Amino acid sequence: MITLALSKGRILDETLPLLAAAGISVDPAVLDSRKLILPTADPGLRLIIVRASDVPTYVQYGAADIGVAGKDVLLEHGGEGLYQPIDLRIGRCRLCVAVRRGFDYAASVRSGARLRVATKYTMVAREHFAAKGVHVDPIKLYGSMELAPLVGLADAIVDVVSTGSTLKANDLVEVEDIMSISARLVVNQAAFKTRRAALAPLLAALERAVEQSGVQPSVSSLVLSSVPPALPSGSANARVGSSS
Ligand code: PRT
Ligand code: MG
């Protein structure tokens, strides 16, 4: 039995059509239930429903063989114990820095003063600003990051943006684009080797489904993808790399 970890919401909603294209359907009645372990039409595959930021943890420890997680979540987790063979090209958004309209971000950075940055992604924010030589005090939040600059908790936020309407509604402006984000299929590194025969057909089918979806990969995913140390059999061009 292969266990696939997913989060409810956009990740599950956008993964289901890929599974369907790979020939795997899930009973809608099961999806509407509050069950956390869901069977699929394939007796060899079940889904588990976890918090988006917990997907890498379930897969790292082998409680799930594979999972679907945003690149943002994977960067913050660090990717330990995980292969990231497939860019699923779903859950597209950008990771960016935003500030309150009227806040002089450039001047603040130039002044060398410490910037207070509210974010769910403290590791990513630390690395991003350290690389630019900007001193920051990351403030860990778990949601509604957009509020922080409005009530004086932070000078800036680091968060994912898709349409930009949440920033706009809260009078925030994007001042830096950190990177393009999409969801990746992650595989437990040990399972990738020991359960190869069971996993390879599913990975190959998902890869075909992504190609058939017609969605183009983002530029950053092309640049960041590393050369595979080992290809799942039957898969022509799986990109495997713990840090891609
Ligand atoms: O909700 P929970 O705290 O449980 O977890 P989560 O917020 O991480 O889960 P979910 O389902 O909201 O997001 C899962 C993944 O979807 C993320 O890890 C991203 O990779 C991806 N994704 C794509 C997004 C968005 N687009 C997105 N717009 N995740 C979050 N948002 C939020 C963003 O944080 C902001 O508050 O939507 C708001 C901005 O949207 P726009 O359209 O107004 O710009
Ligand atoms: Mg959310």
Side-chain angles (χ1 to χ4, degrees):
M1 172 74 78
I2 296 171
T3 300
L4 166 62
L6 288 165
S7 53
K8 275 234 160 121
R10 70 191 103 216
I11 295 283
L12 177 66
D13 296 346
E14 296 184 32
T15 301
L16 286 174
L18 290 176
L19 286 175
I24 299 157
S25 59
V26 184
D27 182 348
V30 162
L31 288 171
D32 285 340
S33 75
R34 304 188 74 92
K35 285 196 179 301
L36 298 174
I37 302 179
L38 312 181
T40 72
D42 178 346
L45 178 71
R46 64 176 184 175
L47 313 182
I48 60 171
I49 304 298
V50 306
R51 190 85 190 255
S53 49
D54 291 336
V55 167
T57 307
Y58 277 85
V59 179
Q60 175 187 359
Y61 290 101
D65 304 289
I66 58 179
V68 177
K71 185 75 194 168
D72 48 331
V73 167
L74 293 167
L75 286 170
E76 190 62 19
H77 168 268
E80 197 191 329
L82 305 175
Y83 281 130
Q84 301 176 31
I86 306 173
D87 178 355
L88 297 171
R89 305 181 198 173
I90 59 172
R92 303 283 279 260
C93 52
R94 314 185 301 286
L95 195 57
C96 72
V97 182
V99 300
R100 207 174 167 167
R101 186 181 303 283
F103 177 82
D104 194 340
Y105 177 69
S108 171
V109 165
R110 266 198 315 273
S111 75
R114 295 187 82 85
L115 208 63
R116 281 178 309 157
V117 179
T119 184
K120 188 156 89 170
Y121 309 104
T122 51
M123 299 297 289
V124 176
R126 250 181 235 286
E127 266 186 43
H128 171 71
F129 289 106
K132 292 163 51 92
V134 176
H135 300 291
V136 295
D137 288 321
I139 299 171
K140 174 82 178 182
L141 290 180
Y142 295 88
S144 300
M145 270 64 74
E146 295 87 356
L147 180 63
L150 306 182
V151 294
L153 178 62
D155 304 307
I157 63 170
V158 167
D159 196 14
V160 294
V161 173
S162 44
T163 61
S165 48
T166 307
L167 291 183
K168 199 164 174 215
N170 291 290
D171 219 20
L172 301 177
V173 289
E174 189 177 331
V175 288
E176 254 182 79
D177 191 350
I178 301 178
M179 72 175 77
S180 303
I181 299 292
S182 56
R184 310 301 163 105
L185 186 84
V186 293
V187 183
N188 173 276
Q189 278 180 0
F192 189 76
K193 294 179 188 112
T194 60
R195 309 204 58 202
R196 200 187 179 89
L199 287 170
L202 177 60
L203 298 196
L206 282 173
E207 200 169 32
R208 276 196 302 276
V210 172
E211 289 302 332
Q212 282 162 10
S213 73
V215 181
Q216 295 304 305
S218 61
V219 174
S220 72
S221 99
L222 288 173
V223 170
L224 292 173
S225 292
S226 58
V227 175
L231 289 171
S233 61
S235 165
N237 59 346
R239 288 181 295 266
V240 181
S242 57
S243 62
S244 74

